[in-house]
Amino acid sequence: MNRSMKRILITSAIPSVNGVKHLGNLVGSMLPADVYARFCRARGYETLAICATDEHGAPIELAAAEEGIPVSEYCDKWHAVQADLGARFGLSWDHFGRSSSDQNREMTWHFARQLWKNGHLDVRTTKQAYSATDGRFLPDRYVIGTCPHCGNINARGDQCEVCTRVLDPIDLIEPRSAVSGAKDIEIRDSRHLFLKQTNFVDQLRAWIASHKNDWPVIVTSIANKWLDEGLQDRGITRDLEWGFPVPDDIADGQLAGKVFYVWFDAPIEYIGATKEWADKNNLGDDAWRDWWHGDRAKDVTYVEFMGKDNVPFHTIIFPAMILGTGEPWKKVDRLKGFNYINYDGAKFSTSSKRGIFMDGALDILPADYWRYYLMANSPESSDSMFTWEHFQGVINKDLADVLGNFVNRVTKFCVARFDGAVPSEGEYGDDEKALAARLDTLVAQYTEHLEACEFRKALAELRAIWVAANEYITVAAPWTHFKADRAKAAVGIRMGLNLIHLFGHLCWPVMPTAARAIHHAIQNAPEIIPWPSKPMAEFLGQLEPGQKIAPPDVLFAKIADEQVAEWRARFSGTGL
RNA sequence: GGCAGCGUAGCUCAGUGGUAGAGCAGGGGAAUCAUAAUCCCUUGGUCGGGGGUUCAAAUCCCUCCGCUGCUACCA
């Protein structure tokens, strides 16, 4: 393994296995992680991109019950669906794991044992709602009753959505089970393990302060808010059937029958999934350590992608767990947190099917349309807004007109006038030199922004590169010069073809399929299309005269007003 | 209620102390290779309201209004 290479470990917040994810889930974690991973591979960095489904927790247990199938079967089914949709969206994970894996169970037990051994876990007795009819403990939010503050008869046990007050199920008047409606709710004592997060406040504060300038504001402000409000020790076990059982050697078996809290084992799955990846590829029992542990992972830069809802778990709880092990685990270096994308003025909603989900998105348009739009408008500094008009405008203008039409006009003209081969006549002159100089700047800026995971800015540069090409071809005007000065026209088309070749390289991290189609117009593309490292003057002069080209079909079809009307109706959700 | 973020052109957003910006949309022109696609020029904003600090404020402080999120058992 070449250890002089830059090494980048990338994780996306792992999506709940529970159903198909919407574009809001995609845009904050999986998609930017993939664009960055592809960029890193294109640059030749040693890259490992990890994601997984999060398969534990009460909602999953209950969803399986609702479908009437065993939880493991439910997870198998939806993991496969999500893996398929991810692949169809071009998400190029090195491994898409499962938090319920054997590897993750071992890793979770290891973390728990270390924390227990080091005195960072407590056994405490808590009051939990129990439904005899359901035969189970109920999470707070699955107990429904009348709010003692405002009288709302459908208040949830964790919080009343009408008066927004935080509740305890004990407070509810006439509590009932959200699962069965049963009214025989009783409060029982239940022992649980607690992570003594308070042991790590100072270390966490210092660590977060050290990232004040390289993490987004949204990330440090959320993390500091938690610290400022005072950390509470956190329960890390639950009264559920489905999950990793607490081993008997922790607390002398006092936790028999309990499982670990989903948020305890979910972040560990980043490591567990790396082990799954190593096992799958027969890399040996210790290969995962090269990314995660001690000196073996010393040269790794670890980058995490997530929506803002996930930030507390990745800045406070998981780091506290890592600190508590007393072991040299890799901690996140760059934490890219995202805000939310709203749909036509309100939130995407999984429960009311409002908004666009990954399967529906692919039903109507290829993945690259979505990838480009979402990254060009990613909610980096604040929540962003999806509207169909805006989406239509961006796709039609940027992709169909500025990029697609450039490829089309140059290749078609080349076929009509130069026999479909790279013309050989003429020499590059001042216009071509000026273009190369301008592109040196734009490509460098595009590269810097991708390196910094500044996706909106990066894609604005990419677009500026396409615009520069259109400006050039307008001035070069080969269609005007063709009759009087064939060599001059040849120079313009040769440059145009080289520009298309450049686009194939530059688009690949964002739009892998379209990038390959663009590159294939000129010549075959390697599996990973490498990042241009040469100066533009050289890169744009590399196509061999006489080489045949192959004009592609329409790369990006325009979106018609009628389609927009149809899609708006289709995706408006069940609430309308 | 508490905390956090946001409020800049018709729309989506940059800009965090030094003469208000981009893309789209709108207006005018050029070109006719191309998916009627491109290129050039251009209209447009008392930077949510008010107060303060400063030689200078979209930017810092205070206050008010509005929107959004979080509030620890939804991930």
Side-chain angles (χ1 to χ4, degrees), chain A residues 180-501:
Chain A
S180 61
K183 294 203 165 66
D184 55 349
I185 303 289
E186 52 186 279
I187 303 301
R188 290 190 181 179
D189 282 350
S190 181
R191 285 204 191 96
H192 284 288
L193 277 179
F194 278 73
L195 172 65
K196 295 197 270 184
Q197 297 188 115
T198 36
N199 293 355
F200 308 101
V201 170
D202 294 341
Q203 287 174 82
L204 290 172
R205 199 180 280 283
W207 176 62
I208 288 157
S210 75
H211 286 293
K212 187 174 171 45
N213 295 319
D214 59 323
W215 288 356
V217 175
I218 185 81
V219 172
T220 47
S221 67
I222 290 173
N224 282 321
K225 191 199 77 175
W226 276 54
L227 291 171
D228 292 345
E229 290 182 354
L231 285 189
Q232 294 171 26
D233 294 335
R234 187 168 184 112
I236 58 159
T237 52
R238 292 292 182 271
D239 292 294
L240 298 174
E241 298 291 320
W242 176 245
F244 294 142
V246 180
D248 288 343
D249 52 295
I250 290 178
D252 301 322
Q254 291 181 75
L255 285 305
K258 318 275 173 175
V259 301
F260 284 103
Y261 173 41
V262 53
W263 264 110
F264 187 76
D265 67 65
I268 296 172
E269 167 64 0
Y270 295 142
I271 306 169
T274 306
K275 224 175 161 187
E276 294 169 39
W277 162 80
D279 289 350
K280 185 182 72 183
N281 293 291
N282 296 311
L283 299 177
D285 288 344
D286 271 353
W288 60 275
R289 291 179 191 273
D290 289 335
W291 293 98
W292 285 103
H293 201 263
D295 285 346
R296 299 176 64 149
K298 213 158 111 186
D299 56 349
V300 169
T301 300
Y302 176 24
V303 189
E304 287 178 352
F305 292 87
M306 71 195 67
K308 59 184 168 185
D309 49 343
N310 271 273
V311 167
F313 301 97
H314 291 79
T315 54
I316 305 289
I317 300 166
F318 187 42
M321 288 161 55
I322 286 177
L323 290 169
T325 63
E327 296 173 328
W329 294 101
K330 188 80 208 168
K331 283 212 299 293
V332 63
D333 295 300
R334 294 173 52 196
L335 200 161
K336 181 71 178 176
F338 288 84
N339 290 277
Y340 291 146
I341 187 162
N342 292 314
Y343 177 76
D344 253 343
K347 281 179 27 167
F348 276 85
S349 165
T350 300
S351 52
S352 66
K353 300 267 185 283
R354 183 172 190 284
I356 308 164
F357 292 71
M358 286 174 75
D359 52 356
L362 292 174
D363 280 349
I364 62 172
L365 289 170
D368 284 345
Y369 290 51
W370 298 106
R371 290 176 61 110
Y372 177 80
Y373 177 83
L374 291 171
M375 294 313 294
N377 298 285
S378 78
E380 288 177 306
S381 59
S382 61
D383 290 352
S384 70
M385 183 70 74
F386 178 94
T387 66
W388 284 105
E389 287 76 12
H390 190 239
F391 177 71
Q392 177 189 30
V394 167
I395 297 303
N396 289 356
K397 189 70 184 174
D398 292 5
L399 294 186
D401 295 348
V402 178
L403 172 61
N405 182 56
F406 180 84
V407 174
N408 193 46
R409 68 197 299 206
V410 170
T411 54
K412 287 266 174 67
F413 191 87
C414 177
V415 167
R417 303 296 191 184
F418 290 100
D419 200 24
V422 178
S424 59
E425 300 100 309
E427 298 291 335
Y428 282 174
D430 290 345
D431 286 347
E432 288 72 25
K433 287 199 183 87
L435 173 65
R438 168 119 179 90
L439 288 177
D440 279 329
T441 303
L442 290 172
V443 171
Q445 285 168 351
Y446 177 43
T447 306
E448 276 171 32
H449 286 140
L450 281 179
E451 194 70 71
C453 296
E454 294 278 358
F455 296 105
R456 262 179 194 266
K457 289 177 181 170
L459 267 63
E461 296 294 341
L462 178 59
R463 185 185 191 284
I465 289 166
W466 303 335
V467 168
N470 277 298
E471 288 170 14
Y472 167 80
I473 207 73
T474 300
V475 172
W479 48 87
T480 304
H481 295 298
F482 183 74
K483 279 181 184 163
D485 187 349
R486 186 184 159 95
K488 195 165 180 181
V491 166
I493 291 302
R494 191 160 71 246
M495 176 57 89
L497 295 172
N498 274 285
L499 286 165
I500 293 167
H501 179 227

Side-chain angles (χ1 to χ4, degrees), chain A residues 368-369 395 399-401 403-404 511 514-515 518 553-558:
Chain A
D368 284 345
Y369 290 51
I395 297 303
L399 294 186
D401 295 348
L403 172 61
M511 299 182 284
I518 291 168
D553 294 332
V554 168
L555 285 164
F556 302 99
K558 290 214 194 196

Side-chain angles (χ1 to χ4, degrees), chain A residues 54-167:
Chain A
D54 177 13
E55 307 198 345
H56 293 141
I60 289 163
E61 218 179 60
L62 293 167
E66 205 164 301
E67 284 196 22
I69 56 177
V71 192
S72 63
E73 204 175 299
Y74 176 89
C75 290
D76 290 348
K77 170 183 154 186
W78 287 103
H79 174 84
V81 168
Q82 291 202 30
D84 174 61
L85 284 169
R88 286 162 57 203
F89 245 97
L91 304 179
S92 59
W93 302 301
D94 291 287
H95 185 67
F96 185 57
R98 306 181 58 174
S99 72
S100 61
S101 68
D102 292 343
Q103 290 89 339
N104 197 40
R105 185 178 57 236
E106 293 303 322
M107 201 60 77
T108 298
W109 283 351
H110 173 82
F111 266 74
R113 285 170 173 140
Q114 284 296 116
L115 288 166
W116 176 253
K117 188 183 84 184
N118 294 338
H120 295 305
L121 299 182
D122 262 354
V123 179
R124 298 182 191 173
T125 300
T126 61
K127 306 279 186 196
Q128 299 292 320
Y130 184 87
S131 162
T133 301
D134 297 330
R136 59 177 297 155
F137 283 96
L138 294 171
D140 291 358
R141 64 191 300 258
Y142 288 103
V143 181
I144 294 178
T146 301
C147 174
H149 304 290
C150 72
N152 167 27
I153 59 168
N154 288 316
R156 289 192 336 208
D158 54 345
Q159 181 175 27
C160 173
E161 285 178 325
V162 173
C163 68
T164 75
R165 257 181 275 228
V166 176
L167 302 175

